Amino acid sequence: MRSRFDEQLDALHQEMIAMGGLCEKAIALSAKALLEGNRSLTLDVPHLSAQIDQHERDIESLCFKLLMRQQPVARDLRVISAALKMVTDMERIGNQSADIAEIIATANISAKDESIPIHEMAVATIKMVSDSIEAFIKQDLDIASAVVAYDDVVDGCFDKAKRALIRRVTDAEADGEYALDLLMIAKYFERIGDHAVNIAQWVRFSITGSREEDVQ
């Protein structure tokens, strides 16, 4: 019975890895479309988001099967419960990547100005998503804690982007609508970072039974 449970748990891990990979790809593709000003790249992002949605449904189904057909111990229950929570955040990451792509396609904009750290935000959020999934698979508390801490990088980039874009909005000679579109995109990246933090906190729960780091 336990061997069957372990096989299904391994299948859950593989699904989580696949879903995380799609999230990373959606973020990267949206960022590349923005940086290159290439609207055609945005066409694939909604398809990736749809695949992410399907993985969410598949993982939920697998988790419920594990709960109903097997006899998980306390730690197994935490792992399964965490996975169910994590896929919600991963699904939202897919949606927000699609929202970024939609803004790019509709407004036909690009962001090559190095004073607006959109690329850095994309790279940082991809790292956070990748590391949070790795932490879950390895059940590694240190990696999960590092993801939470790394959110400061994304927040710092967002603050820098926000200040630069607000100056553009108030500049009479600048394109205010362009600046507002970029500010919305930066906000979506910041939210993706928040979702990665949520994932890491659920990893922590799966290991310790608590989402918050113990304060010594």
Side-chain angles (χ1 to χ4, degrees), residues 108-122:
N108 193 23
I109 61 175
S110 62
K112 299 178 181 179
D113 187 342
E114 293 184 0
S115 70
I116 304 171
I118 296 292
H119 176 68
E120 289 86 347
M121 292 186 78

Side-chain angles (χ1 to χ4, degrees), residues 7 10 12 31 36 59 67 106 112 116 125 137 148 174 182 207 209:
E7 288 175 5
D10 183 62
L12 172 62
E36 295 182 1
I59 289 169
L67 290 171
T106 302
K112 299 178 181 179
I116 304 171
T125 53
I137 301 304
V148 175
L182 280 185
I207 299 169

Side-chain angles (χ1 to χ4, degrees), residues 124-150:
T125 53
I126 290 170
K127 173 179 171 57
M128 290 174 71
V129 172
S130 176
D131 288 354
S132 62
I133 300 302
E134 181 182 2
F136 178 72
I137 301 304
K138 293 182 176 179
Q139 288 290 279
D140 192 313
L141 193 58
D142 289 338
I143 297 176
S145 296
V147 171
V148 175
Y150 204 74

Side-chain angles (χ1 to χ4, degrees), residues 73-83 202 205-210:
V73 297
R75 176 151 183 173
D76 295 329
L77 284 171
R78 293 200 304 268
V79 169
I80 296 166
S81 299
W202 283 115
F205 169 80
S206 73
I207 299 169
T208 69
S210 172

Side-chain angles (χ1 to χ4, degrees), residues 19-184:
M19 188 176 181
L22 289 170
C23 289
E24 294 167 33
K25 188 174 181 180
I27 298 167
L29 199 56
S30 296
K32 185 176 182 180
L34 180 64
L35 295 169
E36 295 182 1
N38 188 344
R39 294 173 64 188
S40 64
L41 292 175
T42 66
L43 298 176
D44 289 333
V45 180
H47 299 299
L48 291 171
S49 181
Q51 292 177 57
I52 290 168
D53 291 347
Q54 183 60 55
H55 275 283
E56 180 188 25
R57 292 189 290 270
D58 292 342
I59 289 169
E60 287 176 343
S61 177
L62 181 54
C63 285
F64 290 134
K65 287 178 182 178
L66 283 166
L67 290 171
M68 291 187 297
R69 296 181 183 178
Q70 307 295 338
Q71 295 180 327
V73 297
R75 176 151 183 173
D76 295 329
L77 284 171
R78 293 200 304 268
V79 169
I80 296 166
S81 299
L84 285 168
K85 294 292 186 178
M86 290 166 64
V87 293
T88 299
D89 281 294
M90 292 163 74
E91 185 267 343
R92 289 174 182 167
I93 288 171
N95 288 344
Q96 286 162 357
S97 297
D99 289 337
I100 292 170
E102 183 177 0
I103 294 173
I104 296 166
T106 302
N108 193 23
I109 61 175
S110 62
K112 299 178 181 179
D113 187 342
E114 293 184 0
S115 70
I116 304 171
I118 296 292
H119 176 68
E120 289 86 347
M121 292 186 78
V123 170
T125 53
I126 290 170
K127 173 179 171 57
M128 290 174 71
V129 172
S130 176
D131 288 354
S132 62
I133 300 302
E134 181 182 2
F136 178 72
I137 301 304
K138 293 182 176 179
Q139 288 290 279
D140 192 313
L141 193 58
D142 289 338
I143 297 176
S145 296
V147 171
V148 175
Y150 204 74
D151 192 44
D152 289 344
V153 174
V154 177
D155 289 343
C157 287
F158 177 68
D159 288 342
K160 181 179 178 181
K162 182 169 65 173
R163 289 193 298 270
L165 291 167
I166 287 174
R167 286 196 295 270
R168 290 195 180 194
V169 170
T170 57
D171 185 347
E173 297 181 1
D175 186 343
E177 186 174 354
Y178 167 80
L180 288 173
D181 284 333
L182 280 185
L183 182 58
M184 181 63 72

